[in-house]
Amino acid sequence: MSTVLLRGGRIIDPAHRVDAVRDLAIRDGRIVTLAPGEHADRVFDASGCVIMAGGIDLHSHIGGGKVNLARLLLPEEHRAGLEPLPLPENPLEAASVGCCTPGTLTTGYRYAEMGYTAAFEPAMVASNARHAHLEMGDVPILDHGAYVMLGNDELVLEMMARGEDFQRIRDVVGWTIHASKAMGVKVVNPGGISAFKFNQRALDVDAEHAHWRITPRSVVRTLARAVAELGLAHPLHIHASNLGVAGNIASTLATIDALDGHRGHLTHVQFHAYGTEGPKKFSSAAQQLADAVNANANVSIDVGQIIFGQTVTASGDTMRQHANAHLASPRKWIGADIECDAGCGVVPFRYREESYVNALQWAIGLELFLSVKDPWRIVLTTDHPNGGPFTSYPHLIRLLMDKSFRDEQLAKLHPDIASGSPLAAMTRELDLNEIAILTRTGPARLLGLRDRGHLGTDAAADIAVYRDQPDREAMFAKPVWVFKDGRLVAENGRIVATPTGGVHFAEPEFDRGIEKTLADAARRSGRLDPQRSTIGRDELCTCANHGALLPHACKLQVGAQ
């Protein structure tokens, strides 16, 4: 059993309040403490380097039906002007292409090259769970998991409308997590995707669903309570109402209020932080949202920062994607109705520096990063690919750490934003400890990954070693070394091994008697029979390309907040 030693690097491990130059040892895929006088079999000289845990992307669309639709919609983006496509120079990399929505193989390669070792799909449809797991299992190197979409499931809405006992609804949520082998629960535009099928074109937090006569507020409250009582580590993952709509800050604040003190994670909040001030009736409400997050310890967020350039928006929010279809660039889009579960929409988009709206969106995201006081409750994301590809993370990190660089970029934007944004007066620059929290330790804590995201003894040896450089974009773009479960997988931005990552999933307790209710609903609606829906452990192992199964036990906590 060989021992590897990283010698003399600056270890940044916020979970243990460590920021010091010291050695780090690895054995059998774990971080270990060497005994006095014990020697390592291989030594890496990490002097002048910063050592962090492997990056963890808490919200990245990497698998499932909408992602494949996005790939199919933009074949020209995958060719990127090359015909025929060249094969990879690295013999360890199989042919795979794409930037906005890269293929599964490229996804794993590019994440690992940046020092990331895990990514989580935030919108898995229950009826499509097998496909999502198969696709994520095809991503090399990375650990992965997914949040199952509820909140537009017709059975859940029907049960709420009938006023059924909360415990029965909670059991449906528990069963759905169990059957789909999900890591958490996602609600997208609560009730809105279902309402769209009944010809509603908008549904605010306290508006009634045209058919079920329930409100998004009640959906959020019910699911947040269910997640808490089921004992899931990750709070309800919320894509709030009215994404992208001017004035939607009111809906976002109402969604926080709807939690009733339960934990909630509001996702891609840049798209939910808009006011109606100014001559264009579209303004930043970043400070209002930051104040709300600062005042509510039960709330965490990820930003969904936009990055200028071409991308494609792929979302379960059919209602909003339908509304945005006329903005498509290039002019094509896809909308899909998943009858009893959800829906999705795919709209290509190009964010432009000269656009007032796009420039304001860019500024709002950065304002949020710099205004939220607790770095443990904010996560660095671009809502890949909706705000921009995940490969832009090093650029985003530099924007957060380097005010002069941020000011240079701000000066290039639409003149009304460049001159009027509060971003220009913000002097805060995040430090390396804060970046480690936003990209590693914080996401691990929010997901309940107890042996990931930190560098303590017996933690999984998911490690990124960066050459300390003044140019933080260059520093975070190509780590010197990246280790996955103790195995060297990337060196100086080049893949050197492609192991299979593991799959994280929750195992909540629930009353199995709920399967009769589910079976009855399936017969009435034509849904898939619950016995055929359930993914067993052996099947999950096959879907995950025979990677490690990483279950998370959950204890029922009735009355939990």
Side-chain angles (χ1 to χ4, degrees), residues 291-483:
D291 289 344
V293 174
N294 291 335
N296 291 274
N298 61 311
V299 174
S300 59
I301 60 173
D302 62 75
V303 170
Q305 176 69 34
I306 77 151
I307 301 295
F308 295 114
Q310 180 68 52
T311 193
V312 57
T313 63
S315 172
D317 196 344
T318 323
M319 178 185 281
R320 298 312 318 155
Q321 291 294 74
H322 176 268
N324 292 334
H326 68 287
L327 300 173
S329 177
R331 294 299 297 271
K332 50 185 174 179
W333 74 287
I334 295 172
D337 168 21
I338 304 166
E339 292 181 359
C340 295
D341 278 335
C344 75
V346 181
V347 181
F349 196 83
R350 179 179 290 276
Y351 293 103
R352 295 176 169 86
E353 292 176 335
E354 62 273 17
S355 161
Y356 173 85
V357 170
N358 296 165
L360 183 62
Q361 291 175 305
W362 179 89
I364 288 171
L366 295 176
E367 289 169 30
L368 286 164
F369 276 117
L370 299 172
S371 300
V372 171
K373 296 177 181 178
D374 183 0
W376 292 93
R377 293 192 290 119
I378 181 170
V379 177
L380 186 145
T381 66
T382 59
D383 186 20
H384 167 81
N386 294 296
F390 65 81
T391 48
S392 59
Y393 288 173
H395 177 75
L396 176 53
I397 288 171
R398 185 179 179 189
L399 287 169
L400 297 174
M401 298 189 73
D402 186 341
K403 166 141 174 81
S404 61
F405 178 69
R406 190 164 67 231
D407 289 344
E408 289 174 11
Q409 305 309 302
L410 181 62
K412 298 177 182 178
L413 305 187
H414 187 285
D416 290 349
I417 303 302
S419 62
S421 171
L423 186 62
M426 291 183 169
T427 59
R428 181 182 176 189
E429 295 178 321
L430 300 191
D431 60 29
L432 287 169
N433 274 276
E434 290 171 312
I435 293 299
I437 295 171
L438 265 62
T439 60
R440 292 152 165 81
T441 319
R445 180 176 291 184
L446 284 167
L447 289 166
L449 309 181
R450 296 184 179 182
D451 65 344
R452 318 274 159 161
H454 67 89
L455 300 173
T457 300
D458 204 38
D462 294 350
I463 302 167
V465 183
Y466 300 96
R467 183 72 60 192
D468 199 351
Q469 302 178 54
D471 183 341
R472 299 307 194 186
E473 183 171 352
M475 172 179 170
F476 282 96
K478 288 187 177 181
V480 183
W481 301 293
V482 181
F483 297 86

Side-chain angles (χ1 to χ4, degrees), residues 476-538:
F476 282 96
K478 288 187 177 181
V480 183
W481 301 293
V482 181
F483 297 86
K484 179 72 187 79
D485 292 316
R487 184 175 180 183
L488 183 65
V489 295
E491 186 170 11
N492 293 315
R494 184 178 177 86
I495 296 297
V496 297
T498 56
T500 301
V503 53
H504 293 273
F505 59 99
E507 292 190 316
E509 297 177 357
F510 61 94
D511 183 353
R512 296 301 178 99
I514 200 66
E515 291 184 355
K516 184 180 184 304
T517 300
L518 292 159
D520 290 343
R523 282 190 291 272
R524 285 188 284 110
S525 65
R527 296 158 66 108
L528 192 63
D529 185 277
Q531 291 185 345
R532 298 179 183 274
S533 300
T534 303
I535 302 171
R537 280 200 171 201
D538 288 346

